[in-house]
Amino acid sequence: MGGLIPESFIEELLGRIDIVELIEPRVHLKKAGREYQACCPFHDEKTPSFTVSPQKQFYHCFGCGAHGSAIGFMMNYEGLEFVDAVEELARHAGLKVPREGTDKPRPSAGLFELMESAALWYQGQLRESAEAIAYLKKRGLSGEISKEFGIGFAPAGWDNLLKQLGGDAQREELLTRAGMLSQGNSGSYDKFRHRIMFPIHDRRGRVIGFGGRALEDDGPKYLNSPETELFHKGRELYGLYLARKSQAKLDRIIVVEGYMDVVALAQFGFRNCVATLGTATTGDQAELLFRAADEVVFCFDGDRAGRKAAWRALEAALPRLRDGRQARFLFLPDGEDPDSMVRKDGAGAFSDRLDQAQPLSGFFFDHFTADNDLSS
């Protein structure tokens, strides 16, 4: 996305940012001589070993070894990529990030504005649709949780969104670039029709895509936004932004397969859930998960497809394991998913299942020894 950020701008940005002012709203700092101290936000400890130096403009933890500049802190604490961290700090400092050495245009700010407008329009359509509201109630979702996740509704019809947000050739071109339109013999038409809409956010909370759940069996049950300059499904996780927003440093993060599972578990108090957007877990997603929490529990169906998905998750997670990181696997009974399990057994029983999830090593050896007689 875009060109290289000049090194001179990085230096200027770090010179504009006071690392103490950046960290203090997020971590309770206490003055200790010429430096500041706190309990480290990156690992559990009772005695403060996390220091912030206003003179040197860096942080360091003598317990876990975490250290770096303001950019590094934003990457580790907020779970941002380098470019996102730089852009967030630049916004805070009132600077515009320059780019050099590229022919590729950066995503237009107009695309983000358009996606936000689409999300708000879908939410308005949900409030107007008795059919969509009845469906969500039938699935047991409250109005409060639906509002928090920004759930909306794309009404039936071929050009509702196009009429609402199109208007001219330039706007229609933006809708196409954002993946909101499809092309047919008669021209452009709405990609999402007669579906419950789940907005997908990037790590900064911007809407970059949608997942749509059909209300009738007139097409695929779930339809995701296509790959666009904003949305790359192998590098995003549904629900991660809201999970991080609920708690900056999560002790555990739960990976499930569907949008509805994430929302249902959040309604029952499990605010640390994400979904992989219908793809096998990728290396990029595994890295995001371990940046958000030291323990990742992959929760899948116990059937053949679920175990295959779990093995792909293991392959993605294994190279990223290091001291302090742990991956576990929870396989649900046949015919059950997290949504149905938490409603049937309650939050307490589901929490117990999570605590008893199988360690990665156990799943690893079970996989290779299932078809072999180890007593021979």
Side-chain angles (χ1 to χ4, degrees), residues 22 26 35 52 69 75 82 106 118 168 177-178 182 197 224 243 262 264 266 274 284 307 309 317 338:
L22 175 72
R26 298 168 169 85
E35 298 182 337
V52 182
S69 66
M75 291 175 66
F82 176 80
R106 297 188 65 235
D168 56 43
R177 283 171 57 192
S182 294
M197 299 297 291
N224 289 330
V262 173
V274 300
D284 287 337
R307 289 187 173 270

Side-chain angles (χ1 to χ4, degrees), residues 299-303 307 330-338 340-342 344-345 350 353:
C299 182
F300 295 113
D301 296 345
D303 58 13
R307 289 187 173 270
L330 173 60
F331 295 104
L332 300 179
D334 288 347
E336 300 286 0
D337 55 34
S340 64
M341 287 297 298
V342 76
K344 184 169 71 173
D345 296 343
F350 191 79
R353 285 180 179 270

Side-chain angles (χ1 to χ4, degrees), residues 105-115 170 173-174 177 206 229-230:
R106 297 188 65 235
S108 166
L111 282 180
F112 290 115
E113 295 168 3
L114 184 75
M115 295 298 276
Q170 184 178 9
E173 192 252 340
L174 278 177
R177 283 171 57 192
R206 300 173 298 189
E229 55 202 276
L230 298 184

Side-chain angles (χ1 to χ4, degrees), residues 8-208:
S8 58
F9 176 78
I10 301 295
E11 294 175 2
E12 178 188 358
L13 178 63
L14 291 175
R16 294 276 195 101
I17 296 293
D18 184 326
I19 196 168
V20 174
E21 291 183 359
L22 175 72
I23 294 178
E24 199 161 30
R26 298 168 169 85
V27 181
H28 182 60
L29 299 176
K30 288 187 178 180
K31 194 81 164 63
R34 297 186 349 180
E35 298 182 337
Y36 291 81
Q37 287 187 338
C39 287
C40 182
F42 304 119
H43 80 287
D44 293 328
E45 62 177 8
K46 295 182 180 179
T47 304
S49 60
F50 180 81
T51 64
V52 182
S53 171
Q55 285 77 29
K56 299 177 181 178
Q57 286 294 302
F58 77 84
Y59 68 91
H60 180 79
C61 176
F62 292 94
C64 68
H67 67 278
S69 66
I71 295 173
F73 180 82
M74 291 296 285
M75 291 175 66
N76 288 322
Y77 190 85
E78 300 288 354
L80 301 175
E81 298 293 334
F82 176 80
V83 172
D84 289 333
V86 170
E87 291 185 341
E88 186 65 22
L89 289 174
R91 186 188 62 78
H92 179 75
L95 299 175
K96 185 176 181 179
V97 181
R99 301 285 175 150
E100 62 183 22
T102 182
D103 296 326
K104 294 174 67 176
R106 297 188 65 235
S108 166
L111 282 180
F112 290 115
E113 295 168 3
L114 184 75
M115 295 298 276
E116 183 64 27
S117 297
L120 291 173
W121 186 74
Y122 286 139
Q123 290 166 35
Q125 294 302 299
L126 175 63
R127 292 191 291 269
E128 299 292 325
S129 172
E131 177 191 24
I133 291 172
Y135 173 82
L136 293 178
K137 287 183 176 179
K138 181 181 177 181
R139 294 298 302 265
L141 298 187
S142 67
E144 290 77 15
I145 203 69
S146 298
K147 181 178 180 181
E148 182 177 342
F149 277 83
I151 295 174
F153 176 62
W158 294 94
D159 58 359
N160 292 298
L161 184 71
L162 181 59
K163 285 180 178 177
Q164 181 69 24
L165 299 181
D168 56 43
Q170 184 178 9
R171 296 283 291 179
E172 185 171 329
E173 192 252 340
L174 278 177
L175 282 168
T176 301
R177 283 171 57 192
M180 302 304 294
L181 299 180
S182 294
Q183 302 299 320
N185 294 331
S186 302
S188 301
Y189 60 92
D190 291 356
K191 185 172 196 65
F192 297 100
R193 306 177 305 280
H194 203 212
R195 290 178 179 271
I196 299 293
M197 299 297 291
F198 299 86
I200 302 165
H201 301 89
D202 66 8
R203 281 155 297 234
R204 295 169 64 182
R206 300 173 298 189
V207 178
I208 55 174

